[in-house]
Amino acid sequence: MAATAKQAWPTRKGSTSDKITEVLLYVWAAITLIVVLYPIYFIVIASFSDPAAVGNGQVWLYPKGFTFDGYLELLKHANIWIGYRNTILYTVVGTAIGLAVNLSAAYALSRKDLFGRKALTLFFIFTMFFNGGLIPTFLTIRDFHLYDTFLVMVLPFAVGVFDIIVARTFFQTSIPGDLWEAAQIDGCGNLRYYVGVVLPLSKAVVAVLALWIAVGHWNSYFNALIYLQNKNLYPLQLVLRDILITNQMQSGMGTGEAAQIAMRLANMLRYSVIVVSTIPIMCFYPLVQKYFNQGVMIGAVKS
Amino acid sequence: MRASQPNMSLQRALARIGRNWGLYLLLLPAVTLLICFTYKPMYGVVIAFKDFSPALGISGSPWAGLKYFEKYFHSYQFAVTIKNTLVISLYSFVLFPIPIIFALLVNQMRQNYFKRVFQTVTYMPHFISTVVMVGLMMILLSPGNGLIGHLYGLFGAEAPNVMGSAGLFSSVYVWSDVWQHTGWDSIIYIAALSAVDPSLYEAATVDGASRWQKIRYIDIPMLIPTAITLLILRVGGLLGVGFEKAYLMQNNLNISGSEVISTYVYKIGLLSAQYSFSSAINLFNTIINFVLLILVNWVSRRYSGQSLW
């Protein structure tokens, strides 16, 4: 074995080629870091700069004409704060519902002694590949009187089949089967076992699912666009869409001093609103990262 | 005796269900939600074959046969939406190896601290919402006063209007996805690589293997099963260019390159309230995806022995 391997892998002369590879690797890593970080960094420094300097291309490495005007402008827009409040509510309630629904289903499906396990699993998996589509779903939501309500944002689409598969795999591989047999002898029922034994042992997968579901709620605008009409229910992303995209297409029209000032403020707002809406969710990740690596790896092995 | 046999197995089944009644209680919320909001709309799909009117309801509306499918196939938008959708999916399909290469390179980093920081930083863009991402692109790629405008300005050139070009739409769509998600998409491959038995590398080193040889003969074979699974899923979504990003990136200038099936379904269905027509287009799309998935899964099972189910 060793002999044939030696033939396949002739010995290299010294480590110079390895050293060059090493240097190239870190050059690549440095370029990648710049490409990833610079646009984000640019938005942050632009949010503290005079919009005229940003527009002229003078802002490259640090803020020019340092100002908080963009952030002060934020305070004047009540819809941003209403959107912020709504998004926090949707994220907290939606994540709680999503975790409860998906983890319980995943645990039940992970148990080999569940009668009808195959059929039930198929019942879930099938929805990943086939669905009724936009209009039939829309009509259903209306039939249930969920259109334009708080509930539509947190309840109807709480089931995440992919999340269930990952959690199921985790339960199957990291909760020893003997544990359930021992618990049964002690007269412990399924529900008490799930809440009292399985969940406390599964912090990693709970953290992973919480992150996925919370980020999904924080960042999505599709359901709100389709199912909400009342502006007081709008999540942050829909408000951001107005500020960053819809208004942007109409700007550049109109002249005169008032229009100029309005445009200046609108420009500053774009930078500050990106910073304020995106930083919280970016900071959330490192907090759960330690669980994350564990959880994903176990999920990744099979699924 | 014979008659009681099915009864016996039914009793046994009921006994097995009864013993684990708690598990069914745990399944109840998810199953109820799926029945109400996923399976019930599947029945609603019949409106694609009807002249649906909200007043008459789904069952009361008259049948229309394949009228709306024919309407779509003969419409001007048919070729446009299919072409745009295919171009974008095939484009991102071709870039499929990028996260794999990324993972192989990250796996080569020996400095653990640097590696961790590098990974955390490259994951970050994944957490930017689609709305902010498109807003960011509009800011940075604006030909007048965006970064790209100033960059061209340094060379005294006029920047192209990237966001307003139908021809560049697919490139902007796909490469911005690469920027945003490569780090994140590589996690699963990095996880697979971390499962390599270190003694394999040691043995290879003893035998004088170079770095590239270790990648070629140890790392890449390790990633193939994961890659195939993800590829099959990708093919199943070939006609499924996401609505969220395409819709946000659309404007009057690029519409001939940016109208994809999902955005067209939305406009026909919810903006102009042609429920049956929209459902027909949607159903056509879903069926093509479903058939592709089954087909590719079958091919994969046949030739690589790997399959989704």
Side-chain angles (χ1 to χ4, degrees):
Chain A
M1 182 65 200
T4 51
K6 228 166 213 156
Q7 270 170 353
W9 288 328
T11 324
R12 283 284 160 118
K13 273 217 189 108
S15 55
T16 36
S17 83
D18 259 14
K19 268 202 185 112
I20 294 171
T21 319
E22 187 87 5
V23 170
L24 285 177
L25 180 69
Y26 285 101
V27 169
W28 167 78
I31 294 172
T32 306
L33 283 180
I34 292 170
V35 170
V36 169
L37 280 179
Y38 186 72
I40 301 170
Y41 176 72
F42 175 79
I43 296 295
V44 174
I45 58 174
S47 75
F48 291 109
S49 299
D50 179 17
V54 179
N56 293 335
Q58 290 166 6
V59 176
W60 287 102
L61 293 175
Y62 48 86
K64 280 257 168 72
F66 196 89
T67 167
F68 281 111
D69 285 359
Y71 292 90
L72 293 175
E73 181 66 15
L74 273 181
L75 296 174
K76 293 187 214 148
H77 288 255
N79 55 348
I80 294 176
W81 301 108
I82 294 173
Y84 222 104
R85 182 202 66 194
N86 291 338
T87 290
I88 292 174
L89 284 174
Y90 295 144
T91 304
V92 171
V93 178
T95 307
I97 293 179
L99 280 179
V101 168
N102 292 322
L103 286 170
S104 332
Y107 175 65
L109 291 175
S110 78
R111 281 274 297 272
K112 294 219 163 61
D113 56 340
L114 178 79
F115 182 77
R117 181 166 176 252
K118 262 214 165 119
L120 282 163
T121 308
L122 188 69
F123 174 87
F124 280 90
I125 304 252
F126 184 66
T127 63
M128 282 177 101
F129 304 113
F130 205 88
N131 59 69
L134 180 69
I135 298 300
T137 310
F138 175 79
L139 295 174
T140 306
I141 292 290
R142 247 187 15 189
D143 290 347
F144 277 98
H145 302 289
L146 286 170
Y147 183 73
D148 212 17
T149 58
F150 179 90
L151 264 189
V152 77
M153 297 298 292
V154 292
L155 186 65
F157 310 107
V159 180
V161 177
F162 185 76
D163 298 355
I164 292 180
I165 294 175
V166 169
R168 188 196 63 169
T169 312
F170 181 92
F171 292 138
Q172 266 169 3
T173 48
S174 36
I175 309 286
D178 324 347
L179 219 54
W180 164 235
E181 274 146 39
Q184 249 180 327
I185 292 165
D186 292 343
C188 175
N190 273 309
L191 294 180
R192 227 180 67 201
Y193 176 70
Y194 167 65
V195 176
V197 180
V198 174
L199 284 184
L201 284 175
S202 310
K203 288 200 190 83
V205 82
V206 175
V208 171
L209 254 57
L211 175 81
W212 279 342
I213 300 172
V215 171
H217 274 288
W218 188 278
N219 282 345
S220 84
Y221 80 96
F222 181 75
N223 286 338
L225 178 76
I226 309 283
Y227 301 114
L228 293 184
Q229 211 169 22
N230 179 354
K231 295 220 173 204
N232 283 323
L233 288 175
Y234 273 14
L236 184 60
Q237 297 300 330
L238 223 47
V239 181
L240 289 178
R241 172 172 165 259
D242 282 345
I243 295 172
L244 292 173
I245 293 160
T246 321
N247 292 349
Q248 198 48 32
M249 289 173 186
Q250 292 150 2
S251 80
M253 285 182 257
T255 43
E257 206 172 329
Q260 290 248 315
I261 291 173
M263 223 176 102
R264 184 188 131 94
L265 289 174
N267 268 329
M268 304 192 72
L269 191 64
R270 280 157 67 205
Y271 298 110
S272 55
V273 88
I274 289 181
V275 173
V276 169
S277 65
T278 308
I279 300 301
I281 203 77
M282 278 187 171
C283 296
F284 187 53
Y285 172 66
L287 294 180
V288 291
Q289 189 179 20
K290 111 179 130 145
Y291 296 108
F292 201 84
N293 295 335
Q294 252 178 306
V296 162
M297 276 173 209
I298 290 155
V301 172
K302 213 247 134 180
S303 70
Chain B
M1 267 321 262
R2 247 170 205 226
S4 70
Q5 211 127 29
N7 239 337
M8 284 280 282
S9 62
L10 185 73
Q11 254 170 16
R12 219 172 305 149
L14 282 176
R16 285 183 62 187
I17 292 174
R19 200 164 46 231
N20 277 327
W21 62 270
L23 295 181
Y24 296 92
L25 202 65
L26 288 175
L27 275 168
L28 191 66
V31 170
T32 314
L33 285 177
L34 280 185
I35 289 175
C36 291
F37 301 109
T38 308
Y39 280 94
K40 186 173 180 285
M42 282 187 206
Y43 160 71
V45 154
V46 296
I47 68 170
F49 305 95
K50 290 191 160 197
D51 274 317
F52 177 71
S53 104
L56 296 173
I58 293 175
S59 47
S61 299
W63 290 98
L66 296 175
K67 183 171 108 186
Y68 288 108
F69 291 89
E70 276 162 23
K71 185 174 169 187
Y72 178 50
F73 298 150
H74 293 138
S75 75
Y76 162 74
Q77 290 289 359
F78 176 67
V80 175
T81 49
I82 296 276
K83 192 200 97 199
N84 289 338
T85 309
L86 272 181
V87 165
I88 294 172
S89 343
L90 290 176
Y91 201 152
S92 56
F93 194 73
V94 171
L95 300 182
F96 183 79
I98 290 181
I100 301 179
I101 296 168
F102 191 91
L104 290 171
L105 289 170
V106 169
N107 196 48
Q108 288 299 312
M109 294 180 182
R110 297 281 171 266
Q111 311 269 332
N112 269 326
Y113 180 73
F114 181 81
K115 187 173 167 180
R116 247 200 326 271
V117 172
F118 183 79
Q119 281 185 272
T120 308
V121 168
T122 49
Y123 297 165
M124 264 164 47
H126 175 78
F127 294 96
I128 297 175
S129 74
T130 316
V131 173
V132 169
M133 184 65 200
V134 176
L136 202 69
M137 283 151 64
M138 288 174 72
I139 291 173
L140 300 178
L141 300 177
S142 145
N145 49 15
L147 274 186
I148 196 172
H150 300 314
L151 217 56
Y152 271 75
L154 289 180
F155 303 101
E158 187 104 352
N161 184 1
V162 179
M163 296 298 285
S165 152
L168 288 175
F169 183 85
S170 54
S171 295
V172 179
Y173 184 100
V174 170
W175 285 103
S176 58
D177 260 5
V178 168
W179 181 81
Q180 200 183 355
H181 301 298
T182 296
W184 187 261
D185 290 347
S186 69
I187 291 183
I188 191 161
Y189 297 111
I190 293 174
L193 285 175
S194 71
V196 174
D197 184 354
S199 65
L200 267 177
Y201 290 123
E202 281 157 27
T205 311
V206 171
D207 289 340
S210 74
R211 241 176 217 247
W212 296 109
Q213 283 166 325
K214 282 181 217 161
I215 293 178
R216 169 74 187 77
Y217 295 101
I218 300 176
D219 291 350
I220 292 181
M222 193 72 191
L223 294 181
I224 284 176
T226 314
I228 290 181
T229 307
L230 293 180
L231 262 177
I232 298 174
L233 286 172
R234 189 68 87 85
V235 174
L238 205 57
L239 279 188
V241 170
F243 169 87
E244 294 209 349
K245 192 168 167 193
Y247 185 64
L248 290 171
M249 284 173 66
Q250 274 181 0
N251 53 48
N252 293 334
L253 296 171
N254 67 18
I255 192 74
S256 65
S258 64
E259 190 79 289
V260 292
I261 298 176
S262 57
T263 56
Y264 190 54
V265 165
Y266 169 74
K267 287 177 188 168
I268 291 290
L270 287 185
L271 299 187
S272 55
Q274 304 179 51
Y275 290 165
S276 289
F277 187 28
S278 170
S279 300
I281 304 169
N282 210 163
L283 181 60
F284 166 76
N285 187 359
T286 310
I287 289 174
I288 301 269
N289 279 340
F290 196 65
V291 170
L292 276 174
L293 181 82
I294 305 256
L295 210 69
V296 173
N297 194 49
W298 180 79
V299 169
S300 164
R301 188 181 344 206
R302 186 87 199 268
Y303 294 101
S304 75
Q306 216 185 316
S307 106
L308 288 181
W309 53 79

